[in-house]
Amino acid sequence: MIREELPFPGIIGRICHHPCEKACLRGEKVDDAVSLCALKRFVADYEVGKREIPVPVVRVRKEGRVAVVGGGPSGMTCALYSRKAGYRVTIFESRDALGGMLSFGVPPFRLPPQVVEREVSLIEKAGIEVRYNTKIGRDVSLKEVRDTFDAVYIGCGAQAGARLGLENEDAPGVLSGIGFLGRAGEERKVGKRVIVVGGGNVAVDAALTARMSGAQSVRIVCLERREEMAAGEHEVDRAGGAGVGLLAGWAPQTILTGEGRVKGVQLVRCASVFDGHGNFSPAYERKITKTIRGDTVIVAIGQAPETGFVGELPGLELTEGGWIRSDPATPATTLPGVFAGGDVVAGPGMAVAAIADGKRAAARIDDYLSGEPSRPANARTGGKRKGR
Ligand SMILES: Cc1cc2nc3c(=O)[nH]c(=O)nc-3n(C[C@H](O)[C@H](O)[C@H](O)COP(=O)(O)OP(=O)(O)OC[C@H]3O[C@@H](n4cnc5c(N)ncnc54)[C@H](O)[C@@H]3O)c2cc1C
């Protein structure tokens, strides 16, 4: 069943993590709630390891060409299901490999590259054309793609790291979390004393990766108190267990430099992060400060979309912050025949949500190309998914 229903079972089985996972995997809590993540992991590992993943069978061939912008989990899923439905499909991928953040972000201790490679190989085996190193907006315009293909799915993710907006943020030794994590399994250079700014799972992944890459001291600095952090409690525990320090309730105020590179960060006490309505609205106690020294600062405070190329297609709307406006149900954009989903619509989230968007989009693309009227896009709060 898992083979029929899930596009990338090994990936989904491994990448889902939940607070119950740790205790359940260790079998400590016999009478406690059943861990869905651990179950998914067990079924996926058992099933996937047994035999080759079957290549989807294209039973009917249909007229129409589908273009997919971005070969991350969302784009790959849309491509696979559109191919299964009988269409000719081309993925435009700016990098030299498929997988998106699963290959260029999620660290190997969470998702082994061989699991991704094995499942990603399905794309080419299914007869989907992939144009690697082809960035829409740089190498080919979105207008050209829309003029050449009958339907377009945009799943280009949130590839840019959000910035603190402080002076010296471009100094040598200051890195973005996404940039630092980079291609899974690649060796990375890191200083002896690393400061990671951010309170989400990406910050924790960056801190653990820095530790595994040889940093002697790694500290996470975040605005939130420990119990408010976006990172899962078990992830924070895991980092603590690996010797990562935590300075919770502090905000970077100044990036300190000397001799042409970063030397540390001056922090100010953060009194509260959210206002009475739960909106992000940090308040500081300006008189309480602290200086910490470090030779590498990794900024992992969120991700932003790179959607400048959308301007090439008049009528295709973005929401505040540059996310693509699309209807969560369909996921149709404001332009007929153009669909969008995954992180570029909803903001940084979970792989399984991006996969679900891709699957939904393939069904709607099939309707659209078969002559079913495409439903109009509803207003959507782009980029509002809970961040990582
Ligand atoms: C460090 C880290 C850890 C994570 N851990 C987990 C986890 O444990 N569990 C989980 O469920 N999720 C996790 N995620 C989130 C998950 O990886 C994302 O939600 C998911 O990958 C989003 O899929 P996507 O296809 O929308 O975008 P992406 O994965 O970002 O893929 C977008 C693709 O589009 C390509 N692209 C971008 N712009 C263009 C362009 N102009 N032209 C052509 N191609 C383009 C990119 O190169 C990329 O391949 C993590 C993310 C990060 C960064």
Side-chain angles (χ1 to χ4, degrees):
M1 196 275 276
I2 192 169
R3 286 165 179 281
E4 291 304 315
E5 298 302 326
L6 296 176
F8 304 110
I11 290 170
I12 293 176
R14 280 179 178 268
I15 204 167
C16 173
H17 53 95
H18 184 267
C20 61
E21 182 182 292
K22 198 170 103 183
C24 293
L25 280 177
R26 283 210 221 114
E28 278 173 2
K29 297 189 176 176
V30 175
D31 292 328
D32 214 339
V34 173
S35 164
L36 289 180
C37 308
L39 279 179
K40 279 193 230 170
R41 169 74 177 267
F42 170 76
V43 173
D45 283 357
Y46 176 79
E47 175 72 358
V48 167
K50 276 175 91 171
R51 30 181 185 241
E52 278 300 305
I53 313 170
V55 178
V57 182
V58 183
R59 293 206 170 81
V60 279
R61 307 226 172 244
K62 294 185 188 163
E63 285 299 310
R65 293 180 67 197
V66 179
V68 174
V69 178
S74 201
M76 289 193 301
T77 306
C78 181
L80 211 54
Y81 279 96
S82 297
R83 180 74 191 133
K84 267 171 107 170
Y87 298 102
R88 281 185 293 152
V89 182
T90 301
I91 298 178
F92 293 89
E93 170 51 55
S94 59
R95 291 195 172 103
D96 61 1
L98 293 172
M101 286 300 185
L102 305 183
S103 305
F104 297 86
V106 183
F109 59 80
R110 198 182 293 296
L111 181 63
Q114 55 277 22
V115 172
V116 182
E117 278 159 25
R118 187 168 182 266
E119 302 205 348
V120 158
S121 69
L122 209 61
I123 294 291
E124 288 184 3
K125 285 185 200 154
I128 294 164
E129 182 196 10
V130 185
R131 296 199 198 158
Y132 293 103
N133 301 310
T134 308
K135 186 168 186 172
I136 301 304
R138 182 192 65 197
D139 305 306
V140 181
S141 76
L142 187 59
K143 182 172 182 318
E144 215 177 315
V145 172
R146 189 171 183 234
D147 290 347
T148 316
F149 290 81
D150 302 292
V152 182
Y153 180 69
I154 307 175
C156 61
Q159 297 286 313
R163 290 171 64 88
L164 290 164
L166 296 178
E167 213 179 309
N168 298 330
E169 207 167 339
D170 294 316
V174 183
L175 314 170
S176 83
I178 300 297
F180 169 69
L181 287 166
R183 189 189 285 261
E186 239 170 38
E187 218 177 283
R188 38 190 62 73
K189 282 201 180 119
V190 74
K192 286 193 177 127
R193 288 186 298 178
V194 177
I195 300 164
V196 180
V197 181
N201 284 329
V202 176
V204 173
D205 281 350
L208 283 166
T209 303
R211 195 85 177 101
M212 290 172 193
S213 306
Q216 287 166 9
S217 134
V218 180
R219 280 179 289 183
I220 294 178
V221 172
C222 63
L223 300 178
E224 302 90 344
R225 290 192 300 263
R226 189 188 158 122
E227 61 278 14
E228 295 169 329
M229 286 171 72
E233 201 188 328
H234 59 304
E235 296 297 344
V236 182
D237 286 349
R238 181 179 183 166
V244 172
L246 175 64
L247 288 162
W250 292 92
Q253 189 178 38
T254 313
I255 295 175
L256 307 167
T257 53
E259 294 154 6
R261 59 170 296 116
V262 69
K263 290 281 176 193
V265 182
Q266 189 183 25
L267 307 174
V268 60
R269 188 82 206 165
C270 180
S272 62
V273 184
F274 305 100
D275 65 16
H277 303 288
N279 298 319
F280 182 75
S281 176
Y284 305 109
E285 291 177 42
R286 297 266 171 213
K287 286 192 183 142
I288 309 178
T289 61
K290 181 198 275 283
T291 298
I292 53 172
R293 297 281 158 196
D295 48 21
T296 307
V297 173
I298 301 173
V299 180
I301 56 165
Q303 290 157 243
E306 287 181 333
T307 45
F309 63 85
V310 161
E312 295 161 0
L313 270 189
L316 186 54
E317 287 179 18
L318 298 177
T319 64
E320 205 184 318
W323 311 92
I324 297 181
R325 188 184 294 282
S326 96
D327 178 347
T330 57
T333 66
T334 45
L335 216 53
V338 181
F339 300 78
D343 282 5
V344 74
V345 167
M350 289 295 183
V352 73
I355 287 173
D357 278 357
K359 186 174 178 184
R360 259 193 301 273
R364 292 298 151 249
I365 287 173
D366 192 17
D367 288 349
Y368 173 77
L369 294 179
S370 325
E372 294 274 327
S374 141
R375 282 187 260 169
N378 292 337
R380 177 160 191 188
T381 48
K384 290 284 165 64
R385 199 153 65 189
K386 193 177 176 233
R388 289 190 47 76

